[in-house]
Amino acid sequence: MRIALGQLESGTDIQANLAAIERFSAQAARDGAQLVAFPEYASYEKKVVDASFPAVAEPLDGPVGTALAGIARRHGVALVAGVVEASGDPERAYNTLAAFGPDGALLARYRKIHLFDAQGIGESRFIKPAPSAEPVVFGFGGVNFGLMTCYDLRFPELARALSDAGADVLLACSSWVPGEHKTRQWIALAQARAIENGLYVAGACQAPPVSVGHSLLVDPMGAVLTELGLEPSVAAADVSLERIAEVRRQFPMFRQRRLG
């Protein structure tokens, strides 16, 4: 299967963000991608999460979700993007990944588990954590995709739970906060999660200045198959179930691990 990574430079203009998602989805479809992944907070983003996030939050069947479903349908691709979802609490929203199929139907919803209360940022002040820590995996085109968001990448137990739930590809949709060593950590953690689980990691990231860019696809041996730079752009690459099986034959970690 061919998947695409759409690296955005999202801001507070929701319509402009949706227009960028539309353009990159069209390009991904022309490049033969069957699924395109966009970053965390693709529909609305600022340098620091604040009270405006719950203020713009919507249910997934609201205008933003409806627009994303329409983009997926128009271009015949599955589409995964980060949105600000209404939680029922006017002061805190959910940081949600929504996956739509080529028919516009909702395939999956993942609400971020690990909120970014680090580097002096308090995401949990305005964002609610997922009510459940259950892994979210959805199937599309014969491939199983596990969903995780940004800071989740630092928690190997979530990646392992997604792998145990059958994920072949981890979609790590992110707005990775810049800082000392942060780009190197982003790449290293994506490679580590791929290697230790024998699967692909697809990291779709926001571009600078809000994030570090460098969206990338890592194969089960940790090889970087494609990596974007600092500018908004889109790139497609292939994932192979045969490659996963081959690597897991070489390194049968799931049969060998001893826990408890």
Side-chain angles (χ1 to χ4, degrees), residues 58-69 83-86 98 100 104 106 109:
E58 301 175 358
L60 290 190
D61 60 357
V64 168
T66 300
L68 293 173
V83 301
V84 188
E85 183 192 4
F100 297 94
L106 184 68
R109 165 174 48 198

Side-chain angles (χ1 to χ4, degrees), residues 154-166:
R154 291 184 181 270
F155 296 83
E157 58 270 29
L158 177 57
R160 180 53 55 91
L162 289 163
S163 180
D164 283 343

Side-chain angles (χ1 to χ4, degrees), residues 67-213:
L68 293 173
I71 292 169
R73 189 166 50 246
R74 281 192 293 279
H75 300 291
V77 295
L79 186 155
V80 180
V83 301
V84 188
E85 183 192 4
S87 71
D89 180 345
E91 296 185 353
R92 293 201 299 170
Y94 289 124
N95 179 347
T96 298
L97 297 181
F100 297 94
D103 60 355
L106 184 68
L107 296 175
R109 165 174 48 198
Y110 168 68
R111 294 163 173 164
K112 190 177 182 183
I113 294 171
H114 303 103
L115 301 183
F116 191 68
D117 290 349
Q119 286 188 269
I121 295 172
E123 187 178 25
S124 64
R125 183 178 174 190
F126 302 102
I127 301 295
K128 293 179 71 169
S132 168
E134 289 296 310
V136 175
V137 177
F138 71 92
F140 173 70
V143 177
N144 291 325
F145 294 89
L147 296 177
M148 59 196 318
T149 304
C150 201
Y151 198 43
D152 286 334
L153 197 61
R154 291 184 181 270
F155 296 83
E157 58 270 29
L158 177 57
R160 180 53 55 91
L162 289 163
S163 180
D164 283 343
D168 305 303
V169 181
L170 300 184
L171 298 178
C173 301
S174 305
S175 185
W176 199 258
V177 174
E180 186 179 11
H181 306 305
K182 291 295 296 293
T183 299
R184 183 172 296 179
Q185 291 175 2
W186 161 250
I187 296 168
L189 288 166
Q191 290 176 305
R193 300 294 87 86
I195 293 166
E196 68 197 9
N197 292 292
L199 43 61
Y200 291 88
V201 172
C205 202
Q206 292 278 2
V210 73
S211 184
V212 301

